[in-house]
Amino acid sequence: MIEDPYLGKYITCVSARSTDKEILQKAQDGGIATTLMVYALEQGIIDGTIVAGEGDRPWEPKPLVAMSREDILKARGTKYSISPQISWLKEATRSFGLDKVGVTGVCCQMQAVRKAQLYPINMRDVPDKVAFTVGLFCMENFPYKSLQTIVEDHAAQSLSSVKRMDIGKGKFWVYTNRGNVSSLPIKATHKYEQPGCHVCLDYVSNLADISTGSVGSPDGWSTVFIRTKKGNEIWSKAVAAGMFETKPIEDVKPGLDLVTKLAKEKIDKNRKTVEERKSFGVNKALRNPYA
Amino acid sequence: MANKIKLGHVHLSGCTGCLVSVADNNLGLIKILDDYADLVYSLTLADVRHIPEMDVALVEGSVCIQDHESVEEIKETRKKSKIVVALGSCSSYGNITRFSRGGQHNQPQHESFLPIGDLIDVDLYIPGCPPSPELIRNVAIMAYLLLEGNEDQKALAGKYLKPLMDLAKRGTSGCFCDLMTDVINQGLCMGCGTCAASCPVRAISLEFGKPQGERDLCIKCGSCYGACPRSFFNFDVMEEFESISEIIAGALK
């Protein structure tokens, strides 16, 4: 077990991508989150999973309890806006009647799941029915109106024409269905970030069973941390079943150095914000959830 | 095996649903009663008539201050207990009894109800209406480790119980508006949706990723704030979720 101050605890880290061509068609990166949940469903490790499905507006995510491969695949692709994944966590064990719940989400949502497991407050049955969590790397998120502003004003694209969005190499990228590509410097998006993200001290979903993200691996591939015993068991089986191509993370560029660098940047910056909240007013502090 | 601790259930103005939640640990409760705790007082389950000495008192319900006996009972509970736990939202925050205002037969003067923390010092809250069986179980095991464990176990129990002790220090009000005043207004909400899952009356939805409360539906149980990962998030415990879950499961084996 490796215990890294910025990357959390993990057993191994690899670069990987799905071998399922259909999943890869619309996956954001290596199709890891989708493939893992589909595999877990098919193997009976989970009987349903919370994913970020399509919402009522273009590129507005909406949490969904998916109980089929088809529904899981609907959630492919990053939506850079808030999807309150955990709002379905208890209901998944109620009207959906699930025994083994899967959860996908970003770092703070993995934190919410672990808190509900250790300190279930009006969360009866949840602690023992969370069966598998897959967490995404996350630098920050945007309210829907922010996303609209970024795409429609800064990138000058119509949201309904967009095929894919991506943050990488210092830019926010917008790809349209008809093949156009627009980008804007990530710096221009900073003021639209969700303020609650500025106190977040987790980049690579430290509390997930398995976490995955694009940074560190080449395009079309994902960087994957296998963290818990459960995560390790599922990952090993899935690899043995031929679900993934993998490479040791040491053999890929830019590799873990870049992941560590970005994790450190995020955590150091946000630690400073948490610190500054202590003297935000005159002899008055803002609240610190970590105190 | 170290000594068993003395556990009691004190029933004030509550509905016994908290005790049902205790019992809904099923064989886990029997295991706890076999190995870790003696139930020395519980009017629902045993015929001990008066409040005895207790290591841990699980107090359910709020206090009607026009009912002399109830007021005496909560004071007696404090006097006789090492650790007083407000079990459930009535005891912690008043909950539905916040809406009591008297005028009903045949004690129309029984109109004022307070959470126990307004009458005595409370060590720890288990919020929830109903409280989750698993949280009650965890607190019982951790209280045992705190009182009877070795140094490592005491340290673990201390850090596990701390946020629930902090909730007891924070105050005696619970409401949807906690999410506004202490999370959103404080620049801490990140739209995870946990509050909506925890609300027992579905008073919370998320509009554009932020909580929207139906305050006329809210029964003031304080669950949403308690469950919110931006109310308390103690990394020292959370990062150990795997091993702590194993310890709890191991204790119940």
Side-chain angles (χ1 to χ4, degrees):
Chain A
M1 178 75 76
I2 297 160
E3 294 192 25
D4 186 283
Y6 296 104
L7 306 179
K9 294 186 192 182
Y10 61 96
I11 299 167
T12 50
C13 177
V14 295
S15 188
R17 76 172 169 192
S18 177
T19 53
D20 186 319
K21 294 284 177 295
E22 189 199 2
I23 288 177
L24 283 177
Q25 271 172 12
K26 285 190 176 174
Q28 184 76 10
D29 299 300
I32 306 297
T34 306
T35 305
L36 276 171
M37 283 303 173
V38 165
Y39 177 75
L41 186 73
E42 285 168 352
Q43 295 299 309
I45 295 160
I46 58 169
D47 45 19
T49 181
I50 303 173
V51 298
E54 279 173 26
D56 303 330
R57 301 170 187 85
W59 291 93
E60 182 189 38
K62 189 180 187 174
L64 164 82
V65 180
M67 297 164 69
S68 66
R69 173 186 163 98
E70 193 192 356
D71 277 351
I72 294 173
L73 262 61
K74 279 185 191 158
R76 284 171 297 172
T78 302
K79 293 127 194 136
Y80 287 99
S81 189
I82 306 162
S83 180
Q85 300 290 85
I86 313 304
S87 57
W88 288 101
L89 184 59
K90 189 164 72 177
E91 195 60 25
T93 71
R94 301 296 196 275
S95 56
F96 291 89
L98 302 188
D99 290 319
K100 294 170 277 185
V101 181
V103 187
T104 59
V106 288
C107 324
C108 57
Q109 296 168 335
M110 297 296 111
Q111 294 180 343
V113 172
R114 297 318 177 190
K115 178 171 173 179
Q117 287 189 278
L118 286 176
Y119 297 95
I121 295 178
N122 237 313
M123 285 285 197
R124 182 179 172 160
D125 294 339
V126 166
D128 302 332
K129 293 197 173 183
V130 172
F132 184 34
T133 60
V134 175
L136 305 169
F137 302 177
C138 177
M139 190 57 95
E140 73 275 309
N141 202 352
F142 301 96
Y144 187 69
K145 301 284 172 180
S146 292
L147 189 66
Q148 246 179 347
T149 309
I150 291 166
V151 174
E152 293 181 351
D153 299 352
H154 289 265
Q157 297 292 353
S158 148
L159 265 175
S160 52
S161 74
V162 175
K163 184 171 73 179
R164 167 188 168 86
M165 296 178 210
D166 194 19
I167 296 178
K169 303 172 185 78
K171 290 189 169 167
F172 191 110
W173 301 86
V174 179
Y175 302 83
T176 70
N177 283 317
R178 294 194 310 205
N180 200 351
V181 184
S182 307
S183 70
L184 55 138
I186 196 71
K187 201 169 170 235
T189 68
H190 286 334
K191 66 177 172 184
Y192 304 114
E193 289 164 3
Q194 169 176 241
C197 296
H198 297 156
V199 297
C200 174
L201 306 177
D202 188 342
Y203 178 51
V204 287
S205 273
N206 294 357
L207 299 188
D209 288 316
I210 294 178
S211 44
T212 177
S214 79
V215 173
S217 291
D219 287 348
W221 288 71
S222 300
T223 302
V224 184
F225 291 94
I226 295 97
R227 299 183 178 280
T228 62
K229 284 177 196 157
K230 191 181 283 169
N232 197 31
E233 197 184 308
I234 297 170
W235 181 258
S236 309
K237 276 193 206 159
V239 170
M243 307 302 292
F244 296 106
E245 283 179 75
T246 68
K247 292 177 188 170
I249 193 70
E250 296 76 20
D251 296 353
V252 302
K253 293 277 178 213
L256 266 191
D257 287 349
L258 182 65
V259 187
T260 307
K261 179 173 166 266
L262 293 182
K264 187 173 182 320
E265 270 173 27
K266 170 174 179 177
I267 292 163
D268 289 350
K269 177 167 75 72
N270 290 349
R271 266 211 190 105
K272 198 166 155 243
T273 305
V274 171
E275 199 58 34
E276 283 164 358
R277 291 171 61 91
K278 290 180 185 162
S279 54
F280 195 84
V282 179
N283 297 327
K284 298 275 180 187
L286 295 179
R287 207 171 62 73
N288 177 5
Y290 312 125
Chain B
M1 182 107 6
N3 295 321
K4 285 161 92 174
I5 61 170
K6 294 192 192 74
L7 189 68
H9 173 254
V10 178
H11 199 304
L12 295 168
S13 293
C15 73
T16 333
C18 292
L19 184 62
V20 172
S21 286
V22 176
D24 276 350
N25 278 298
N26 305 318
L27 289 176
L29 176 63
I30 304 298
K31 173 73 180 176
I32 288 170
L33 295 178
D34 275 344
D35 291 357
Y36 310 118
D38 283 321
L39 188 68
V40 294
Y41 180 70
S42 171
L43 289 177
T44 308
L45 299 170
D47 61 2
V48 177
R49 309 306 295 169
H50 300 288
I51 296 175
E53 299 279 334
M54 294 174 278
D55 291 312
V56 178
L58 300 172
V59 184
E60 161 172 3
S62 61
V63 185
C64 173
I65 62 173
Q66 287 90 15
D67 178 29
H68 177 73
E69 210 167 307
S70 296
V71 175
E72 287 309 307
E73 227 168 271
I74 191 61
K75 289 185 185 169
E76 185 73 3
T77 299
R78 180 68 276 183
K79 225 180 284 172
K80 295 279 184 66
S81 322
K82 278 192 193 137
I83 299 172
V84 172
V85 176
L87 172 61
S89 292
C90 288
S91 183
S92 306
Y93 297 124
N95 201 29
I96 198 74
T97 68
R98 284 289 188 195
F99 298 90
S100 300
R101 54 195 172 99
Q104 288 181 312
H105 285 309
N106 56 358
Q107 300 288 353
Q109 80 288 10
H110 280 190
E111 68 178 20
S112 314
F113 292 75
L114 289 172
I116 64 169
D118 286 341
L119 283 98
I120 61 164
D121 286 328
V122 178
D123 298 296
L124 190 152
Y125 281 3
I126 299 180
C129 180
S132 306
E134 301 88 344
L135 184 57
I136 303 168
R137 169 198 78 189
N138 293 358
V139 168
I141 290 170
M142 290 296 173
Y144 169 79
L145 294 179
L146 189 72
L147 297 170
E148 297 294 334
N150 61 33
E151 290 309 310
D152 285 351
Q153 290 168 327
K154 277 183 185 161
L156 170 69
K159 69 181 186 180
Y160 177 85
L161 295 171
K162 183 176 177 292
L164 302 174
M165 297 169 78
D166 291 344
L167 282 180
K169 289 193 201 95
R170 174 176 168 264
T172 57
S173 298
C175 176
F176 163 77
C177 39
D178 293 337
L179 294 178
M180 300 197 308
T181 55
D182 280 10
V183 185
I184 304 170
N185 293 171
Q186 285 282 328
L188 294 170
C189 178
M190 41 56 185
C192 67
T194 308
C195 50
S198 75
C199 178
V201 296
R202 303 184 195 212
I204 305 174
S205 56
L206 279 100
E207 301 291 332
F208 288 112
K210 296 289 148 168
Q212 175 70 31
E214 283 283 340
R215 278 170 291 163
D216 283 352
L217 278 182
C218 170
I219 56 167
K220 299 177 88 67
C221 70
S223 299
C224 52
Y225 179 75
C228 169
R230 289 285 169 84
S231 59
F232 68 85
F233 197 83
N234 45 343
F235 277 108
D236 56 345
V237 170
M238 300 299 181
E239 280 171 354
E240 305 298 326
F241 72 91
E242 207 179 4
S243 65
I244 293 176
S245 304
E246 282 169 9
I247 288 168
I248 292 169
L252 292 169
K253 226 179 240 157

